[in-house]
């Protein structure tokens, strides 16, 4: 055949991926498919690819979220639940971390994987996420097949989106709690526990076996009931935590009745009750129950005698850090010359909490001197828990009256706890107060996960909470759940703050 006069086909464009390998590509492939590699798979196994992608979407959106966030550890073969996005292979049933995804591609040559939160497609050859028109349509439908052809135009879709209200409650685990008579103090603590991944994973993996529990009106069984209700079906209506209320009344006499209670005191009560109901040890230092594994840390207290310089050290466990805001407020007002009060930063509160405190001879007796002496006392954080609970002491009680301290406290989304640790204090002392150079403390960055707010006055207030679910923040106000932005969260008048250590897998 004479082809001398026939036009030559255009040469494919030669590109290199991040590994430096030459990857041939054509403009047509990128138009019809997400990339030429997806084009090859679609041409060879289109039906199987679409079916498997729908199954993955069903796993992500229809089944409990914990399934798509669980992978098998390559070390011991045990299931591990990750707080970070995972990847579901589009060519086999594997669920992997980002690191294992790349290794899976190298060993199995399985090119495509699906991100576990938004179901985006990742191509191992391109080493990037790709946009495939056919798969994108299925992704937007969350894997559900259409019963009839969609005849709406792009403008129609835009009009619907711009005039629609997002219903965040339809997400798994997002439900409000009915107020059963001034029970908002209980609701905010329960929402905090429901959206704590450590507590959630414990109960969803049957850490507390309700069927075998013989406790009467057990609060742990009641919490287990909540997790089942919140994660087994999509419901938009609120949930009545009747079993939890009854269990709280029976376990704590002071809680019985419909009087408003303090959320911090209820948190202390419920954590202790869960500790006892889940095999908690009487020796708190050696306790391995889920409550202590999640919230328990250790403070170090050092007292230095001014006379002989003898140092005594003691360690005490803590479930939360209670930070003073009143004295700080007074001091800042004096420094500002009675001008408008400058907002207090939580770092200032932590700095004061771990600052040196003078003790008079009436307060301290030195064993080395065998006599009363002046001394300096300092607290520092010796051991940090995975979830750091911070209590801002807004309620003041005296013999004459009780009042609320409404000082504005600024808090960040990410908080570096390292400057308040024992290690930092000792290093700073050794270097005469300068920052310890070269010390790696990336693991001590904590991210905000929940904020509990008390609105109103001391005797007529109301509790609400904000919790992070994935990358979104939600306001929980009794039975109402609303999607909100970070700005609203950071502007809240916090009473309790919960920070979670960053990049931690549980």
């Amino acid at each position: 055949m004479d082809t001398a006069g026939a036009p030559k086909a255009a040469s494919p464009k030669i590109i290199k991926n991040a590994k430096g390998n030459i990857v041939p590509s054509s403009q047509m492939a990128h138009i019809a498919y997400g990339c030429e590699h997806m084009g090859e798979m679609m041409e060879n196994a289109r039906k199987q690819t679409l079916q498997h992608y729908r199954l993955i979407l069903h796993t992500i959106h229809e089944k409990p979220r914990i399934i798509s966030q669980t992978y098998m550890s390559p070390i011991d073969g045990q299931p591990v639940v990750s707080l970070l996005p995972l990847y579901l292979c589009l060519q086999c049933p594997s669920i992997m971390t980002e690191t294992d995804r790349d290794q899976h591609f190298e060993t199995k040559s399985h090119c495509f994987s699906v991100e576990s939160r938004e179901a985006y497609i990742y191509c191992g050859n391109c080493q990037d996420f790709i946009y495939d028109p056919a798969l994108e349509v299925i992704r937007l439908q969350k894997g559900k097949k259409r019963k009839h052809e969609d005849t709406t135009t792009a403008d129609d879709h835009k009009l619907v989106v711009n005039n629609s209200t997002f219903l965040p409650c339809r997400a798994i685990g997002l439900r409000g709690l009915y107020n059963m008579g001034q029970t908002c103090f209980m609701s905010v603590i329960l929402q905090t526990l429901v959206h704590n991944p450590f507590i959630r994973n414990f109960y969803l993996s049957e850490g507390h076996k309700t069927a075998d529990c013989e406790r009467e009106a057990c609060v742990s069984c009641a919490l287990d009931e909540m997790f089942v209700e919140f994660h087994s079906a999509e419901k938009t209506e609120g949930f009545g935590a009747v079993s939890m209320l009854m269990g709280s009344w029976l376990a704590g006499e002071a809680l019985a009745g419909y009087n408003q209670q303090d959320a911090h005191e209820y948190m202390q009560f419920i954590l202790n009750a869960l500790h006892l109901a889940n095999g908690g040890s009487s020796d708190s230092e050696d306790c391995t129950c889920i409550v202590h594994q999640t919230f328990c840390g250790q403070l170090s207290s050092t007292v230095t005698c001014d006379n002989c310089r003898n140092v005594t050290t003691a360690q005490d466990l803590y479930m939360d850090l209670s930070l003073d805001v009143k004295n700080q407020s007074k001091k800042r007002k004096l420094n500002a010359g009675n001008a408008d009060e400058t907002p207090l930063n939580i770092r200032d509160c932590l700095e004061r909490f771990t600052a040196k405190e003078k003790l008079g001879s009436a307060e301290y007796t030195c064993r080395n001197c065998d006599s009363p002496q002046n001394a300096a006392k300092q607290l520092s954080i010796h051991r940090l828990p995975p979830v750091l609970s911070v209590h801002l002491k807004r309620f003041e009680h005296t013999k004459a009256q009780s009042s609320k301290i409404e000082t504005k406290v600024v808090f960040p989304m990410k908080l570096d706890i390292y400057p308040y640790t024992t290690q930092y204090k000792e290093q700073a002392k050794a270097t005469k107060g300068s920052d310890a150079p070269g010390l790696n403390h990336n693991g001590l960055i904590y991210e905000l996960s929940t904020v509990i707010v008390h609105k109103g006055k001391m005797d007529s207030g109301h509790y609400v909470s904000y919790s992070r679910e994935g990358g979104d923040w939600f306001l929980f106000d009794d039975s109402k759940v609303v999607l909100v932005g970070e700005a609203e969260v950071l502007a809240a008048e916090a009473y309790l703050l919960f920070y979670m250590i960053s990049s931690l897998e549980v």
Side-chain angles (χ1 to χ4, degrees):
M1 180 182 294
D2 185 8
T3 59
K8 294 183 178 180
S11 300
K13 180 181 178 182
I14 304 300
I15 60 174
K16 291 185 178 181
N17 60 21
K19 294 183 178 180
N21 300 324
I22 296 177
V23 180
S25 176
S26 67
Q27 187 175 5
M28 182 178 296
H30 283 288
I31 294 175
Y33 304 104
C35 65
E36 71 162 357
H37 315 104
M38 178 60 72
E40 291 176 2
M41 191 164 79
M42 284 291 202
E43 290 173 0
N44 296 326
R46 181 181 181 86
K47 183 177 180 180
Q48 295 90 327
T49 300
L50 297 180
Q51 286 179 342
H52 195 187
Y53 189 53
R54 285 194 176 96
L55 287 174
I56 290 176
L57 288 169
H58 179 75
T59 299
I60 293 174
H61 296 295
E62 301 296 327
K63 294 183 179 180
R65 184 168 295 180
I66 192 173
I67 294 177
S68 62
Q69 288 297 124
T70 303
Y71 68 97
M72 303 303 293
S73 171
I75 299 176
D76 55 13
Q78 296 298 313
V80 180
V81 180
S82 174
L83 301 181
L84 304 175
L86 295 180
Y87 293 85
L88 291 77
C89 182
L90 192 57
Q91 294 156 273
C92 75
S94 299
I95 301 179
M96 308 155 286
T97 63
E98 183 175 350
T99 302
D100 294 335
R101 174 201 68 192
D102 297 335
Q103 184 68 25
H104 187 72
F105 168 59
E106 293 290 342
T107 57
K108 300 289 186 180
S109 297
H110 289 180
C111 183
F112 300 100
S113 56
V114 182
E115 188 262 345
S116 65
R117 290 183 178 169
E118 300 296 334
Y120 295 127
I121 307 294
Y122 181 87
C123 175
N125 274 314
C126 298
Q127 291 199 332
D128 201 358
F129 289 95
I130 63 172
Y131 175 92
D132 184 271
L135 295 178
E136 181 65 7
V137 171
I138 300 174
R139 189 185 76 85
L140 294 176
Q141 297 171 358
K142 296 186 177 180
K144 298 177 181 178
K145 293 183 178 180
R146 295 178 179 175
K147 295 183 179 180
H148 54 81
E149 184 179 357
D150 188 356
T151 58
T152 56
T153 65
D155 289 337
D156 293 331
H157 283 295
K158 184 177 180 180
L159 181 65
V160 171
V161 170
N162 290 340
N163 292 277
S164 297
T165 301
F166 176 66
L167 297 177
C169 294
R170 294 193 64 80
I172 292 293
L174 292 172
R175 288 182 68 180
L177 293 169
Y178 290 123
N179 193 319
M180 296 176 288
Q182 298 197 63
T183 56
C184 57
F185 71 93
M186 180 179 76
S187 296
V188 292
I189 298 301
L190 295 180
Q191 291 288 8
T192 300
L193 295 176
V194 165
H195 293 93
N196 182 305
F198 298 90
I199 304 297
R200 179 187 64 214
N201 296 346
F202 174 79
Y203 280 94
L204 291 182
S205 61
E206 296 187 355
H208 180 81
K209 299 187 182 300
T210 300
D212 300 332
C213 183
E214 298 180 353
R215 288 174 172 266
E216 182 181 358
C218 174
V219 293
S220 189
C221 292
L223 187 59
D224 186 51
E225 176 192 359
M226 286 185 59
F227 276 106
V228 171
E229 281 288 328
F230 279 42
H231 289 271
S232 61
E234 292 185 353
K235 296 181 180 179
T236 57
E237 70 273 15
F239 176 78
V242 178
S243 299
M244 180 62 75
L245 183 62
M246 182 62 66
S248 299
W249 282 3
L250 293 176
E253 294 182 3
L255 298 172
Y258 294 100
N259 295 325
Q260 179 66 279
Q261 304 287 341
D262 180 71
H264 178 239
E265 292 179 357
Y266 183 75
M267 184 187 75
Q268 293 176 318
F269 157 78
I270 195 68
L271 291 184
N272 183 61
L274 294 175
H275 157 75
L276 296 175
N278 289 290
S281 169
S282 57
D283 185 357
S284 298
E285 290 191 11
D286 298 325
C287 183
T288 58
C289 77
I290 184 60
V291 172
H292 279 77
Q293 287 185 41
T294 304
F295 295 102
C296 186
Q298 192 175 56
L299 288 174
S300 177
S301 173
T302 60
V303 179
T304 305
C305 176
D306 286 354
N307 183 47
C308 68
R309 310 308 298 171
N310 181 59
V311 178
T312 57
T313 304
Q315 272 83 37
D316 295 298
L317 300 180
Y318 68 90
M319 301 299 284
D320 58 71
L321 299 179
S322 288
L323 305 182
D324 197 353
V325 295
K326 180 182 179 182
N327 293 339
Q328 289 263 7
S329 174
K330 286 183 176 180
K331 182 178 179 181
R332 294 172 75 88
K333 280 186 176 181
L334 290 174
N335 292 340
N338 294 327
D340 291 339
E341 184 181 342
T342 304
L344 185 64
N345 195 298
I346 191 174
R347 295 184 179 92
D348 298 329
C349 299
L350 286 166
E351 194 63 47
R352 185 175 186 274
F353 181 77
T354 57
K356 289 184 178 180
E357 174 189 358
K358 291 294 183 181
L359 298 179
S361 57
E363 301 172 278
Y364 174 70
T365 299
C366 178
R367 292 183 179 180
N368 193 47
C369 298
D370 195 23
S371 62
Q373 297 290 339
N374 293 330
K377 178 182 178 181
Q378 185 174 31
L379 291 175
S380 59
I381 302 175
H382 186 69
R383 189 180 75 227
L384 281 159
V387 178
L388 180 65
S389 172
V390 179
H391 167 227
L392 302 179
K393 297 194 286 188
R394 292 196 175 277
F395 300 128
E396 183 181 38
H397 303 279
T398 64
K399 292 182 179 180
Q401 63 178 0
S402 296
S403 59
K404 179 183 176 182
I405 303 169
E406 299 188 16
T407 304
K408 171 65 177 176
V409 179
V410 177
F411 51 92
M413 280 291 172
K414 292 187 177 182
L415 181 63
D416 185 3
I417 304 296
Y418 178 66
Y420 318 107
T421 62
T422 303
Q423 184 182 38
Y424 177 87
K425 298 295 183 183
E426 292 176 349
Q427 191 75 29
K429 182 179 179 181
T431 55
K432 297 182 179 180
S434 61
D435 194 3
L439 191 58
N440 186 0
H441 58 276
N442 292 332
L444 297 185
I445 301 297
Y446 277 66
E447 292 189 39
L448 188 65
S449 61
T450 292
V451 180
I452 292 178
V453 179
H454 180 270
K455 296 182 176 182
K457 300 300 180 182
M458 182 78 184
D459 55 352
S460 60
H462 178 62
Y463 286 102
V464 300
S465 66
Y466 297 90
S467 285
R468 176 164 52 88
E469 181 66 31
D472 297 319
W473 281 92
F474 294 89
L475 165 67
F476 296 90
D477 185 354
D478 288 336
S479 60
K480 183 172 66 175
V481 182
V482 181
L483 179 68
V484 298
E486 285 189 3
E488 179 175 334
V489 177
L490 295 176
E493 187 179 288
Y495 177 49
L496 293 171
L497 296 166
F498 294 84
Y499 280 90
M500 188 179 306
I501 192 166
S502 299
S503 304
L504 183 67
E505 295 183 353
V506 293

